[in-house]
Amino acid sequence: MYQLKINDLSEQEFLTQFWQKKPLLIKQGFSNFQDPLDANELAGLAMEDSIESRIVTNHNNEWQSHQGPFEDFEQLTEQHSTLLVQAVDHWHNDAAQLLEPFRFIPNWRIDDLMISYSTPGGGVGAHLDQYDVFIIQGEGKRHWRVGLPDPSLKQFTQNKTLLQVEAFTAVIDCILEPGDILYIPPGCPHEGYAVENALNYSVGFRAPNQQDLLSSFADHIIDTESGQKRYTDHNLTLRESKGELSDTEVDKVKVLMQALLNDHTLFKQWLGTTLSQPKHDMDLMPVEQPFNAAQIADAINSDDISFERLGGTRAIYQQTADELLVSVNGENYSVPNSDLNAVKLLTDFTGFNAQQLKNTAPSLVFIEIFTTLINEGIWFN
Ligand code: SIN
Ligand code: CO
């Protein structure tokens, strides 16, 4: 288990002073850091079809980006190259442990663990990210520079694929050593080049924008065949100009649309599915002989077993007027309020044992849902 120490700050002090505000260098955030994998294992993952990866090279100032999966690693040259693999927490249990120390931040905000391996001089160039990120230094050393948000900085695309940003003034300029961490808020320009072969782990966050939210909400309305209420105007009176769309009519259209956003049930159902949706494939292995709820109830009552959550699983819950809405990997389930402690075992922890679940006295509804989740391979023992 990795123990995070944010300099001399408590987690709350970090949130108050730095989170979404300013970048922070956390020297020895993890002391005696042990890499959860090595470059060979990372390369193995980059050969898989279902795992997103790329190699970025910068030879003689010419940037190139190659999309995985890779059959060989010719492009990962001894200098000036980087292999980047997305969502490694979905595929590698030891690497997934690196997300755990950051779960003091609400879990729906956590996105994935991206891992990069860079050879000396390798990096992706100066760029901005739209999301918060903690970059952990593993094996090797890397020179990082981080600046503050500056709307005048121009972004441009290298070789049609790599979005970079022009030269910026750094407020952090450091060589990261194993166990050091950089926290970078959204919009802060940054660049990192390996000094020696280096592994870096990026704990990335999610922050949906209005476009993402509204288009996903529209999809949900279509999928659930909601939003059938139509514009009406039974108080219509004659007006001087027949070509005008009046302010009253504009407001009535807006109210018609807002009624959907104000429908708490619809809104929470949609939000649960969209925020719990993984963006990357999962290493799902449904059980061959599905269990029934009675078997799972027996296991919870009698066995000394523990349940583990599949890496990359997104599980959240919301309180609704009369029950709890639990959302797991894009699917919603309703359980009685009395299941709150059982639900928290699913959403707040990556594993628990049968005794802990038994102590919550879960309802039959909960056991049935948990049985489904076990049969799908989302929890396993
Ligand atoms: C990298 O590890 O090369 C990229 C990390 C980042 O800049 O977000
Ligand atoms: Co970045």
Side-chain angles (χ1 to χ4, degrees):
M1 198 62 183
Y2 294 97
Q3 291 288 337
L4 174 64
K5 188 173 174 300
I6 313 174
N7 300 334
D8 287 327
L9 300 170
S10 66
E11 291 170 345
Q12 183 57 61
E13 283 167 340
F14 166 76
L15 293 176
T16 310
Q17 296 172 33
F18 293 94
W19 176 251
Q20 298 236 303
K21 297 170 196 76
K22 24 180 196 187
L24 177 67
L25 168 61
I26 307 169
K27 279 302 277 182
Q28 289 304 286
F30 295 122
S31 51
N32 304 316
F33 184 79
Q34 303 283 324
D35 288 273
L37 46 58
D38 62 19
N40 282 326
E41 266 181 281
L42 190 68
L45 294 173
M47 299 176 93
E48 301 283 338
D49 285 341
S50 40
I51 304 183
E52 206 180 308
S53 61
R54 65 195 166 124
I55 291 176
V56 175
T57 57
N58 57 328
H59 298 294
N60 308 316
N61 275 332
E62 198 205 315
W63 290 91
Q64 291 209 326
S65 178
H66 313 271
Q67 215 53 49
F70 298 98
E71 284 177 7
D72 62 61
F73 290 89
E74 250 171 42
Q75 287 141 342
L76 192 62
T77 47
E78 280 184 16
Q79 301 225 1
H80 298 280
S81 68
T82 304
L83 166 67
L84 303 110
V85 184
Q86 297 291 337
V88 179
D89 54 309
H90 291 212
W91 305 94
H92 195 287
N93 193 42
D94 289 346
Q97 299 310 310
L98 270 176
L99 294 181
E100 296 313 299
F102 300 94
R103 291 198 185 275
F104 68 95
I105 292 160
N107 286 201
W108 71 266
R109 290 280 273 116
I110 299 175
D111 193 3
D112 71 338
L113 181 76
M114 191 277 286
I115 305 185
S116 69
Y117 171 73
S118 323
T119 62
V124 296
H127 65 281
L128 308 174
D129 291 320
Q130 303 303 313
Y131 312 98
D132 307 81
V133 64
F134 289 93
I135 301 179
I136 303 156
Q137 181 66 49
E139 169 193 315
K141 290 184 184 160
R142 201 153 168 202
H143 178 195
W144 283 94
R145 293 178 68 256
V146 186
L148 294 178
D150 175 357
S152 72
L153 284 178
K154 290 194 179 52
Q155 295 193 81
F156 55 91
T157 311
Q158 287 277 14
N159 208 356
K160 297 199 182 126
T161 48
L162 269 180
L163 187 60
Q164 295 188 343
V165 73
E166 65 185 333
F168 61 89
T169 307
V171 291
I172 294 177
D173 188 328
C174 59
I175 295 192
L176 287 195
E177 297 178 345
D180 292 344
I181 305 170
L182 265 181
Y183 163 67
I184 306 178
C188 288
H190 55 282
E191 59 184 344
Y193 301 102
V195 177
E196 51 190 58
N197 290 345
L199 278 167
N200 280 89
Y201 305 87
S202 293
V203 176
F205 289 80
R206 287 184 176 194
N209 68 14
Q210 293 164 310
Q211 202 175 73
D212 301 333
L213 291 169
L214 282 170
S215 74
S216 154
F217 189 59
D219 287 345
H220 185 78
I221 292 169
I222 294 165
D223 292 347
T224 53
E225 296 188 17
S226 323
Q228 305 290 341
K229 199 166 162 194
R230 200 170 285 280
Y231 180 86
T232 57
D233 51 3
H234 42 80
N235 292 329
L236 195 60
T237 50
L238 269 187
R239 72 177 66 160
E240 185 261 315
S241 168
K242 313 294 183 282
E244 187 190 8
L245 173 64
S246 71
D247 279 355
T248 315
E249 287 165 332
V250 169
D251 286 346
K252 277 179 67 164
V253 170
K254 205 183 274 175
V255 167
L256 186 65
M257 294 177 73
Q258 279 167 343
L260 276 180
L261 291 171
N262 292 337
D263 177 336
H264 294 307
T265 305
L266 180 75
F267 193 84
K268 287 193 166 187
Q269 294 265 358
W270 157 71
L271 202 53
T273 57
T274 192
L275 296 182
S276 69
Q277 193 76 55
K279 281 192 205 147
H280 299 270
D281 286 354
M282 310 268 304
D283 191 11
L284 268 177
M285 275 189 289
V287 301
E288 280 176 18
Q289 299 265 303
F291 298 104
N292 60 40
Q295 288 170 309
I296 297 299
D298 277 353
I300 293 166
N301 281 322
S302 56
D303 287 358
D304 183 18
I305 53 173
S306 53
F307 299 97
E308 251 188 82
R309 194 166 82 176
L310 181 70
T313 294
R314 303 185 62 81
I316 52 184
Y317 72 88
Q318 300 170 76
Q319 319 250 7
T320 66
D322 46 10
E323 56 190 5
L324 297 171
L325 178 63
V326 186
S327 307
V328 180
N329 295 345
E331 291 293 328
N332 284 337
Y333 307 92
S334 293
V335 298
N337 284 325
S338 58
D339 278 325
L340 180 60
N341 288 333
V343 165
K344 284 183 183 170
L345 290 175
L346 303 185
T347 58
D348 294 18
F349 303 95
T350 52
F352 56 88
N353 60 43
Q355 187 64 43
Q356 284 174 287
L357 182 52
K358 188 178 167 185
N359 290 345
T360 70
S363 70
L364 187 58
V365 175
F366 181 93
I367 305 267
E368 278 167 358
I369 292 165
F370 190 45
T371 304
T372 306
L373 296 167
I374 288 177
N375 287 337
E376 288 174 356
I378 303 176
W379 268 265
F380 53 91
N381 70 320

